[in-house]
Amino acid sequence: MGLRAAHHREVLATAPDVGWFEAHSENYFADGGAALDTLSRVRERWPVALHGVGLGLGSAAPLDREHLRRLARLVAHIEPWAVSEHVCWGHAGGRHTNDLLPMPRTAESLRHLAARVGELQDALGRQVLLENVSSYLEFTGAQFTEAGYLAALVAESGCALLLDVNNVFVNARNHGFDAEDYFDELPLDAVREIHLAGHETTRIAGREIRIDTHDRPVCEDVWALYASARRRFGPVPTLIEWDAALPPLAILVAEAQRADAIG
Amino acid sequence: MPMRLDELQRRFVASLYGEPADIEGAIRADGGISVADRLAIYRGNLHATFARALELEYPVLAALCGAEFFAVLAREFQQAHPSVSGDLQQVGAPLPQYLRQRFAGGEHAYFADVAALEWAREESARAAAAAAPDLQALGAVTADAALALRLPLQPGVRLIASRWPVYTIWQAHQGPGEVRSVDLGAGAEQVLVWRARGAQQLECLPPAEFRLLEALRGGASLGEAFDLALATDPAFDIAAALQRCATRGILAGVQAAIGNGEGRAIA
């Protein structure tokens, strides 16, 4: 399950029955202090995955060397079982959006992103997992489907995938594709981790749009799609992301156990 | 021919910041939702994420402002100081300085010092921990040698001096219940921020003790720091102040002052 600051004390005090924890890398970039101490102690008892939300590998602007240095330092310290980033970009012209922005799915952007993934893997000395993001717009001139873009990224960079089933569902609804077709296009053995999350359904100009919010339980449609993903990709480690309006730890543990029970 | 990646991203970010960017043609307008509405989702995220990060870093400032004013302030500050890092915990770094200029001379001039105190807590929370000094070895040093020592402070120590009662203001916003009202005219406060037992600690210091710590942090020898403290308060109790430094755990390994001030680590 996800390790969030609000639950740090309780996790250490109660040692919940979960298989592993995932931490947002940037939240532990500090030189010292309580948060980093907590993650170190969690690591003594459980496997930990580090999930980056700020590197924006698909940005055309130069890679932030300081960010990379801090990530590499954290990876060396924590020795996570997985290091993941997103198939996204986030900054241009010196301004960061601190968002996971969708890639234009062109051959040019694929070459760029694959090279950046290669740079990251070289810097860390290990394979990384790349996660599909939710999106509310698509760029014109796409030369790949979204899943085809992921498959090409895997082939070109040698990365693995973190498949966010909620994001697949959200994008399938927002952009009108079939989630099962999306799964069909992914390389079977590249999916090493799965994310689930809750999302919001809203309307703009009378049309429905799904917004990825991470602030509520996983909906039944996404659970059903997850069952399908497990049948295809096997029992890969699964994490439920809950970042806003955090419920009590016990509810997160129960959601995590539900995910483990689906085989 | 699709737009080049760097051009598309530059225009997209400019558009989110409300600048003319000519990006609409690069975005698909299907599904019955306009390009403008689609961009508005991302623009909303840009502002909400930034404001939320600021509020987490500056909870007392946010409370002093109230939700509406804080939202306006966050938006203004974001325009002037867009995030320059993929690490959201960095977005608030320029805020104290921004507030100092924004509210100079006005009724909200004290906001900058409250923000400086809150940012000092943030920095303290994330600072490295240096090795503690060997207090026994220190105790064995002769009086003359002791005066020549340079006592470095822990990296997590911050010193905030304000002509307003910033500590009292900060304290009034801690814990549940009504916020006590604070008399802004109550005078200056000097605050020591440090980390102990895994949490940030704050304490209001008398001017002489604050001066001592400022001097030590600036690299003065113990003797020079004592002189400055005594100039501030002739009745300053040096031994008691040093004892408090040791108890708080704000000292790092000790350097002897030699000639050029480079110093040799003795503990």
Side-chain angles (χ1 to χ4, degrees):
Chain A
M1 58 179 289
L3 182 64
R4 299 292 174 265
H7 293 142
H8 276 176
R9 268 173 217 275
E10 198 180 351
V11 162
L12 289 175
T14 64
D17 180 22
V18 293
W20 54 287
F21 280 93
E22 183 159 283
H24 283 180
S25 311
E26 290 79 4
N27 290 349
Y28 303 90
F29 273 8
D31 297 322
L36 189 58
D37 286 349
T38 298
L39 183 61
S40 306
R41 289 175 62 193
V42 166
R43 178 66 187 92
E44 288 167 12
R45 302 186 69 142
W46 290 277
V48 165
L50 290 176
H51 185 50
V53 295
L55 198 49
L57 285 170
S59 303
L63 207 51
D64 181 341
R65 295 282 145 198
E66 176 60 14
H67 197 110
L68 193 55
R69 186 188 71 77
R70 288 184 181 263
L71 177 62
R73 180 177 69 167
L74 183 66
V75 168
H77 174 61
I78 295 296
E79 299 181 337
W81 71 264
V83 177
S84 51
E85 290 287 336
H86 293 87
V87 178
C88 75
W89 64 281
H91 60 107
R95 292 187 287 196
H96 283 251
T97 62
N98 300 103
D99 199 354
L100 309 170
L101 302 174
M103 295 298 290
R105 296 191 302 269
T106 61
E108 181 211 6
S109 87
L110 179 69
R111 268 196 310 278
H112 173 74
L113 181 59
R116 283 288 165 85
V117 170
E119 217 176 318
L120 176 64
Q121 294 185 135
D122 289 347
L124 300 181
R126 61 186 292 162
Q127 187 184 43
V128 297
L129 280 56
L130 269 289
E131 179 181 5
N132 57 302
V133 301
S134 52
S135 63
Y136 317 114
L137 58 77
E138 291 189 299
F139 294 103
T140 55
Q143 293 164 295
F144 299 85
T145 60
E146 190 182 316
Y149 191 79
L150 294 180
L153 179 65
V154 167
E156 203 155 314
S157 73
C159 72
L161 294 175
L162 193 178
L163 178 63
D164 190 314
V165 171
N166 179 62
N167 290 349
V168 173
F169 180 82
V170 162
N171 286 2
R173 290 299 177 95
N174 286 351
H175 307 307
F177 60 78
D178 186 323
E180 296 291 344
D181 292 346
Y182 187 106
F183 288 168
D184 280 343
E185 276 196 81
L186 296 180
L188 270 181
D189 56 353
V191 178
R192 304 289 162 74
E193 184 184 339
I194 289 179
H195 274 180
L196 297 172
H199 70 265
E200 177 189 33
T201 305
T202 184
R203 301 187 86 80
I204 294 177
R207 304 298 287 260
E208 180 186 289
I209 187 159
R210 307 274 175 150
I211 307 283
D212 189 23
T213 50
H214 296 190
D215 65 348
R216 63 193 69 199
V218 176
C219 73
E220 290 307 319
D221 285 341
V222 170
W223 279 117
L225 190 58
Y226 171 62
S228 165
R230 290 280 281 216
R231 284 192 295 274
R232 287 165 184 266
F233 304 111
V236 290
T238 299
L239 177 94
I240 297 173
E241 292 186 296
W242 203 319
D243 298 301
L246 268 187
L249 186 62
I251 292 191
L252 294 184
V253 171
E255 287 263 296
Q257 287 165 346
R258 177 175 176 182
D260 285 342
I262 293 175
Chain B
M1 187 67 191
M3 200 183 290
R4 276 172 46 126
L5 184 65
D6 55 351
E7 182 66 16
L8 176 137
Q9 293 181 345
R10 197 186 53 72
R11 290 191 193 194
F12 193 92
V13 170
S15 163
L16 294 193
Y17 275 92
E19 299 155 15
D22 195 15
I23 186 69
E24 286 73 10
I27 297 167
R28 288 175 57 167
D30 42 14
I33 299 176
S34 71
V35 169
D37 282 341
R38 291 179 183 279
L39 278 169
I41 297 172
Y42 286 97
R43 195 170 295 124
N45 283 349
L46 176 76
H47 297 308
T49 303
F50 189 92
R52 205 160 46 237
L54 272 195
E55 192 179 349
L56 281 173
E57 288 162 354
Y58 295 100
V60 174
L61 177 72
L64 288 170
C65 287
E68 211 171 307
F69 185 33
F70 189 74
V72 172
L73 196 60
R75 190 71 171 260
E76 273 181 23
F77 172 63
Q78 186 177 21
Q79 284 302 133
H81 293 274
S83 170
V84 294
S85 171
D87 178 2
L88 258 183
Q89 297 182 98
Q90 301 302 323
V91 300
L95 185 63
Q97 190 52 38
Y98 175 78
L99 296 175
R100 208 168 300 290
Q101 288 163 359
R102 170 76 173 74
F103 295 119
E107 58 171 328
H108 295 126
Y110 71 101
F111 278 8
D113 287 0
V114 172
L117 185 61
E118 295 200 282
W119 189 250
R121 289 185 79 244
E122 289 291 319
E123 286 187 328
S124 178
R126 297 196 287 261
D134 181 344
L135 293 174
Q136 270 194 331
L138 263 184
V141 175
T142 64
D144 277 356
L147 288 177
L149 286 175
R150 299 188 193 281
L151 294 176
L153 303 181
Q154 285 287 341
V157 171
R158 292 291 179 279
L159 297 164
I160 303 292
S162 172
R163 54 195 185 91
W164 287 283
V166 279
Y167 174 79
T168 308
I169 293 169
W170 185 85
Q171 197 64 43
H173 286 86
Q174 306 309 306
E178 280 287 281
V179 174
R180 280 182 294 112
S181 75
V182 174
D183 175 11
L184 273 182
E189 284 182 347
Q190 301 82 31
V191 191
L192 166 67
V193 180
W194 79 104
R195 198 169 74 221
R197 300 176 299 280
Q200 293 92 275
Q201 316 286 329
L202 265 73
E203 202 169 319
C204 207
L205 296 186
E209 189 164 343
F210 189 83
R211 191 74 197 87
L212 175 88
L213 294 182
E214 271 191 329
L216 292 179
R217 191 187 51 182
S221 70
L222 205 46
E224 292 160 348
F226 284 160
D227 288 345
L228 289 166
L230 286 168
T232 309
D233 174 10
F236 183 59
D237 183 342
I238 289 163
L242 278 185
Q243 184 58 49
R244 282 193 293 276
C245 285
T247 310
R248 289 174 183 134
I250 63 173
L251 300 177
V254 177
Q255 314 251 295
I258 349 176
N260 61 8
E262 286 290 299
R264 177 177 57 93
I266 63 160

